[in-house]
Amino acid sequence: MESKLLDPFGRVHDYLRISVTDRCNLRCVYCMPEEGMQFEPTERILSYEEITSIVQALAPLGIRKLRLTGGEPLVRKGLDQLVAMLSAIPGIEDIALTTNGIFLAPHAEMLKAAGLTRVNISLDSLKPERFARITRGGKVHRVLEGIEASQRAGFKPIKLNVVLMKGINDDEVEDFLRMTLENPIDIRFIEYMPIGNSGTGWKSSYLPLEHVLKTCGTKWNYESRDVYGNGPADSYRIVGAAGTFGLIRPVSSHFCGSCNRLRLTADGNIKPCLYWSDEYNVRPLVGNDKAVQDLFYKALGTKPETHDMVKALKGQQINGTPTLRHMSQIGG
């Protein structure tokens, strides 16, 4: 069925990113501050039943793909139950999970059995001490165990998200690329984004992803490659490699023109765009499918043509109010 969710610029929306919690077991430097976070009380977080009801209202409008995010979704108990509820909705074809991987190993099999289709795992360094600094306490071996468990469970493709930061982990590009030589995984390098009252400090860590292609080209020949569920990434493969690598460049080469996603925050707000502050609270309408649908249409009607991250990078005037929510409060 063709999606009925069109914005003023003719973009078709068939993809909903659902944050199930604003809490996380880590404090990654680009995602949330080390301390001082104010988390929503449990009663303000959408229940699994409320999330399912919203998706049931949207599926007839053409929503086909879902992604469960956080915070860290696996800090919320019984996530496999939500996956099972969502996978039973007619029209839903793909359910993915974005996770930091720390709690993934013991849950991978049950999530796959419940209907989870794919996993994206954050991994910003392969060096234990550096990983601990970036995540403020994470153990990289637990993420690697989660990757292995996902492979055993049969998830394909498995994507590893690497936020590339100048002077922090940009010297590990070759190490990440080597992971694709023997493993059928997709390494996705992501530009550092100015989300969540980040001021101007993010600029010192921002690094255009041409650095990845230059690094790869000094060691290997590579070619363009299509990857299922690729989304905004430009994907490549080292010739002869089992896996692939991709570049997600929301700042230097934004993909707003092909944006097909809406976001639902853990506290029940529709965000038509990750960068801007506009939000529409849908929670009071849950159970009334027509009202839920109408609010999503209203939110889509206000979706801007583009964000202004490039202007923010250059210190130029932007046309709107950027969100003050941290990435963990939005769901990415």
Side-chain angles (χ1 to χ4, degrees):
M1 173 185 143
E2 186 175 348
S3 177
K4 298 177 182 178
L5 292 167
L6 295 174
D7 70 10
F9 306 96
R11 293 173 294 198
V12 176
H13 292 70
D14 61 0
Y15 179 15
L16 180 66
R17 299 178 69 103
I18 303 168
S19 176
V20 300
T21 180
D22 62 342
R23 297 174 185 267
C24 188
N25 54 307
L26 301 179
R27 295 290 183 273
C28 296
V29 295
Y30 53 80
C31 191
M32 67 169 76
E34 187 171 9
E35 55 187 20
M37 282 293 295
Q38 296 295 316
F39 297 108
E40 296 287 352
T42 301
E43 63 270 16
R44 286 179 58 91
I45 299 299
L46 289 172
S47 69
Y48 288 167
E49 290 76 17
E50 287 173 314
I51 292 172
T52 302
S53 178
I54 291 170
V55 175
Q56 286 173 331
L58 295 178
L61 303 185
I63 290 294
R64 294 289 172 261
K65 297 181 287 186
L66 307 174
R67 176 170 296 279
L68 305 180
T69 69
E72 168 49 46
L74 288 173
V75 303
R76 188 161 176 184
K77 295 180 180 179
L79 191 66
D80 59 305
Q81 299 170 25
L82 175 62
V83 172
M85 293 162 69
L86 295 175
S87 65
I89 298 174
I92 298 302
E93 300 170 353
D94 186 70
I95 305 175
L97 173 72
T98 294
T99 173
N100 62 37
I102 298 292
F103 299 138
L104 184 56
H107 293 95
E109 291 282 355
M110 67 179 73
L111 288 167
K112 187 70 164 62
L116 191 71
T117 311
R118 296 179 289 119
V119 291
N120 285 41
I121 304 168
S122 297
L123 181 62
D124 297 316
S125 177
L126 297 169
K127 302 177 184 296
E129 291 184 4
R130 180 179 291 176
F131 182 86
R133 287 198 304 272
I134 293 173
T135 60
R136 298 188 177 110
K139 307 292 185 183
V140 71
H141 72 89
R142 296 186 63 180
V143 183
L144 298 176
E145 290 168 359
I147 295 169
E148 293 172 358
S150 298
Q151 291 174 321
R152 290 193 300 271
F155 286 111
K156 294 180 181 178
I158 294 172
K159 297 181 180 180
L160 306 184
N161 293 343
V162 181
V163 176
L164 201 62
M165 294 169 280
K166 183 168 60 178
I168 298 177
N169 62 352
D170 52 330
D171 60 339
E172 292 188 64
V173 169
E174 184 177 330
D175 294 334
F176 280 114
L177 291 173
R178 287 189 183 279
M179 291 180 70
T180 71
L181 296 177
E182 304 294 335
N183 294 293
I185 56 178
D186 179 26
I187 305 286
R188 307 197 323 161
F189 297 97
I190 304 172
E191 287 181 338
Y192 198 162
M193 290 180 282
I195 301 295
N197 198 22
S198 54
T200 60
W202 69 282
K203 296 179 183 180
S204 62
S205 297
Y206 172 78
L207 182 69
L209 295 187
E210 282 70 23
H211 172 71
V212 175
L213 296 179
K214 289 179 181 177
T215 301
C216 186
T218 63
K219 292 285 183 178
W220 303 282
N221 294 321
Y222 61 89
E223 59 192 1
S224 295
R225 188 76 172 177
D226 289 330
V227 177
Y228 174 77
N230 194 40
D234 297 320
S235 286
Y236 305 89
R237 184 184 69 168
I238 295 172
V239 174
T244 63
F245 67 96
L247 310 181
I248 298 181
R249 298 180 272 203
V251 179
S252 66
S253 180
H254 69 77
F255 36 83
C256 299
S258 59
C259 185
N260 66 338
R261 69 206 63 192
L262 291 162
R263 291 174 172 82
L264 179 65
T265 66
D267 57 352
N269 284 283
I270 307 165
K271 280 192 71 67
C273 177
L274 173 66
Y275 185 62
W276 299 115
S277 62
D278 304 273
E279 296 184 357
Y280 301 82
N281 190 262
V282 71
R283 191 176 194 185
L285 307 178
V286 172
N288 183 335
D289 287 0
K290 177 64 164 55
V292 168
Q293 292 170 349
D294 286 347
L295 190 61
F296 270 86
Y297 280 131
K298 179 179 179 180
L300 261 180
T302 66
K303 184 165 183 171
E305 186 174 12
T306 184
H307 60 66
D308 276 347
M309 291 187 200
V310 173
K311 289 184 178 180
L313 176 64
K314 296 179 179 179
Q316 298 173 352
Q317 181 69 35
I318 60 174
N319 301 312
T321 304
T323 183
L324 293 180
R325 285 189 190 245
H326 294 285
M327 191 71 83
S328 62
Q329 298 169 311
I330 299 172

